[in-house]
């Protein structure tokens, strides 16, 4: 089947397991929850979840209920946290599957309690505090000095449900706004606000066994923020969340994804021939161009027009002209090439090929976006034994 698609993403599951090992070491006594949302950042949900567990992850984290149930359907029974549910979602399947639903609001606690009562079980849940990200989570900062917070209300409601026996609050957590800038003042302020939020929860009688705050960047740069668990995503896949602080290699991380495509045509064109839509590129002399059959529908950013780095026969080159929906062109000069040439888009970088970070730099984004948007027409192929 996969030969019917001209590009592929090879994912090294041993790299995933290795990276979890690196993160475990960084986390000290804290456990690792490997974040596998968004199809494991484009690397493949189930295989990467298994590899992360094989590498020593104690738990998995996802954003959406569908992702959580997909893991359970695959037979993965590890502790699993799901933090983005919409009002109106029937949480019973999640409670039944022993997925820990994260509550950011009162409605979530109501819904999870209703599901637990209907099933006749105690739902294990976690509570999410907004300690200053200004996104998901119950707001844990007072609107005015001394004012009662949304967080205080949420923990009180949760404590009442615990007393009734319908929920058990296993964890409390929050998320950083600026962990990628370790010296930013909000990093410290959020750590303090999280300590206050934990104290509020414990003051209400909750005894959360896992308290966690650190994403990849904080796991790698802010040791004091690890609490009982860290929650890295990007670094699990071997990419650096803080390219200005350290490369993947500096942290001992191994990029797990390598994307290659087989070109479909090589041809000589004359001097001045515009290449691809809008003729944004025109060689000044006769040259050879190759047609690479992946485009923005496959997650190659259109912003990579003229700049996206590739490697052909060991040589670093760039996309020539515009990225189209299904293809882009590369001027290879007088390089001897065949029609069906292997083109490396990105990989670990060990053989001079571009990395996902190089792509991010070239198009002005973050490596998260490069890997997670690689599309369905790029079949994932797995190498490595971890988790199989
Ligand atoms: C995505 C996400 C993470 C992982 O973040 P990385 O920067 O990829 O390590 C952790 N926690 C929450 C709540 C997230 O949404």
């Amino acid at each position: 089947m996969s030969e019917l698609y001209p590009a592929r993403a090879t994912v090294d599951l041993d790299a995933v397991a290795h990276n979890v090992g690196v993160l475990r070491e960084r986390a000290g006594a804290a456990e690792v929850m490997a974040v596998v949302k968004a199809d494991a950042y484009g690397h493949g949900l189930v295989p990467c979840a298994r590899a992360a567990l094989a590498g020593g992850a104690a738990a998995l984290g996802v954003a959406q209920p569908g992702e959580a149930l997909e893991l359970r359907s695959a037979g993965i029974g590890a502790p699993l946290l799901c933090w983005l549910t919409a009002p109106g979602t029937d949480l019973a399947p999640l409670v039944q599957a022993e997925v820990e639903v994260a509550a950011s609001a009162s409605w979530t606690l109501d819904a999870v309690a209703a599901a637990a009562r209907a099933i006749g079980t105690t739902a294990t849940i976690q509570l999410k505090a907004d300690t200053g990200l200004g996104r998901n989570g119950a707001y844990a900062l007072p609107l005015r000095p001394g004012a009662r917070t949304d967080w205080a209300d949420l923990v009180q409601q949760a404590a009442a449900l615990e007393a009734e026996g319908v929920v058990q609050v296993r964890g409390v957590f929050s998320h950083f706004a600026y962990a990628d800038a370790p010296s930013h003042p909000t990093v410290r302020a959020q750590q303090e606000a999280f300590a206050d939020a934990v104290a509020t929860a414990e003051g209400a009688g909750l005894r959360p066994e896992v308290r966690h705050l650190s994403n990849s960047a904080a796991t790698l740069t802010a040791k004091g923020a690890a609490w009982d668990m860290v929650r890295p995503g990007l670094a699990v896949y071997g990419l650096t969340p803080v390219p200005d602080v350290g490369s993947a290699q500096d942290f001992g991380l191994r990029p797990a994804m390598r994307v290659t495509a087989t070109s479909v045509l090589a041809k000589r064109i004359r001097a001045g021939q515009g290449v691809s839509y809008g003729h944004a590129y025109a060689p000044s002399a006769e040259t050879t161009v190759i047609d690479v059959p992946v485009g923005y529908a496959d997650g190659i950013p259109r912003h990579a027009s003229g700049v996206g780095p590739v490697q052909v026969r060991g040589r670093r080159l760039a996309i020539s002209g515009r990225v189209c929906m299904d293809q882009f062109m590369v001027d290879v000069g007088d390089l001897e090439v065949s029609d069906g040439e292997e083109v490396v888009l990105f990989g670990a970088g060990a053989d001079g090929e571009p990395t996902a970070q190089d792509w991010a730099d070239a198009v002005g984004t973050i490596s998260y976006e490069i890997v997670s948007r690689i599309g369905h027409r790029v079949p994932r192929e797995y190498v490595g034994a971890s988790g199989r």
Side-chain angles (χ1 to χ4, degrees), residues 6 264 277 291-298 323-328 377:
V264 297
Y277 290 136
D291 184 349
V292 185
V294 281
Y296 59 76
D298 303 296
V323 173
C324 312
M325 182 180 283
D326 314 302
Q327 40 196 321
F328 63 74
R377 295 193 304 183

Side-chain angles (χ1 to χ4, degrees), residues 146-168:
R148 187 175 168 81
T149 61
D150 287 352
W151 174 250
D153 289 340
L154 189 76
V155 298
Q156 189 177 46
Q157 184 186 353
L161 292 170
E162 250 196 15
E164 188 192 325
V166 288
V167 307
Q168 197 237 319

Side-chain angles (χ1 to χ4, degrees), residues 145-242:
R148 187 175 168 81
T149 61
D150 287 352
W151 174 250
D153 289 340
L154 189 76
V155 298
Q156 189 177 46
Q157 184 186 353
L161 292 170
E162 250 196 15
E164 188 192 325
V166 288
V167 307
Q168 197 237 319
V169 178
R170 191 171 93 88
V172 296
F173 70 110
S174 188
H175 196 43
F176 281 117
Y178 262 106
D180 55 341
S183 58
H184 195 277
T186 59
V187 174
R188 205 198 163 117
Q190 281 194 255
Q191 289 189 59
E192 287 167 6
F194 187 62
D196 287 347
V198 168
T200 301
E202 290 173 349
L206 300 177
R207 292 289 171 267
E209 151 196 336
V210 289
R211 301 160 297 179
H212 46 113
L213 179 61
S214 292
N215 57 3
S216 296
T219 305
L220 295 171
T221 67
K223 270 207 155 84
W227 289 79
D228 310 305
M229 185 173 258
V230 296
R231 224 172 44 240
L234 189 75
V236 168
Y237 310 102
L239 300 171
T240 177
V242 284

Side-chain angles (χ1 to χ4, degrees), residues 53-72:
L53 293 168
L60 300 169
V62 294
Q64 302 180 358
E67 300 177 310
L69 293 179
E70 232 179 282
L71 288 167
R72 288 294 190 243

Side-chain angles (χ1 to χ4, degrees), residues 36-46 48 67 70 237 376 380:
V36 294
K37 65 188 179 186
D39 200 26
Y41 292 44
H43 293 65
L45 176 65
V46 170
C48 289
E67 300 177 310
E70 232 179 282
Y237 310 102
H376 292 301
R380 274 57 170 175

Side-chain angles (χ1 to χ4, degrees), residues 160-382:
L161 292 170
E162 250 196 15
E164 188 192 325
V166 288
V167 307
Q168 197 237 319
V169 178
R170 191 171 93 88
V172 296
F173 70 110
S174 188
H175 196 43
F176 281 117
Y178 262 106
D180 55 341
S183 58
H184 195 277
T186 59
V187 174
R188 205 198 163 117
Q190 281 194 255
Q191 289 189 59
E192 287 167 6
F194 187 62
D196 287 347
V198 168
T200 301
E202 290 173 349
L206 300 177
R207 292 289 171 267
E209 151 196 336
V210 289
R211 301 160 297 179
H212 46 113
L213 179 61
S214 292
N215 57 3
S216 296
T219 305
L220 295 171
T221 67
K223 270 207 155 84
W227 289 79
D228 310 305
M229 185 173 258
V230 296
R231 224 172 44 240
L234 189 75
V236 168
Y237 310 102
L239 300 171
T240 177
V242 284
D244 299 336
V245 178
S247 66
Q249 204 182 357
D250 293 338
F251 291 117
L253 299 169
R254 279 166 46 194
M257 187 192 284
R258 176 179 176 87
V259 175
T260 58
T262 307
S263 68
V264 297
L265 180 66
K267 66 185 173 197
R268 294 295 283 177
I269 58 170
R270 63 192 186 187
Q273 171 63 56
V275 171
S276 189
Y277 290 136
H279 287 176
Y281 175 78
S284 54
E286 182 185 310
T287 192
T288 301
V289 290
I290 62 171
D291 184 349
V292 185
V294 281
Y296 59 76
D298 303 296
I300 308 307
R302 193 163 175 277
H303 279 105
S305 298
V307 295
V310 297
Q311 188 189 45
V312 184
R313 294 212 171 192
R315 190 160 325 165
R316 273 289 274 272
L317 298 163
I319 293 175
S320 303
R322 294 221 179 117
V323 173
C324 312
M325 182 180 283
D326 314 302
Q327 40 196 321
F328 63 74
M329 305 298 291
V330 179
D331 180 349
V332 300
D334 293 328
L335 200 60
E336 289 282 341
V337 290
S338 61
D339 286 324
E341 205 53 61
E342 183 182 77
V343 177
V344 184
L345 279 76
F346 60 83
D351 297 315
E353 75 275 27
T355 60
Q357 185 61 47
D358 292 331
W359 274 79
D361 293 342
V363 309
T365 184
I366 52 179
S367 59
Y368 294 77
E369 193 177 3
I370 299 298
V371 290
S372 66
R373 295 184 75 170
I374 295 296
H376 292 301
R377 295 193 304 183
V378 182
R380 274 57 170 175
E381 292 173 0
Y382 296 95

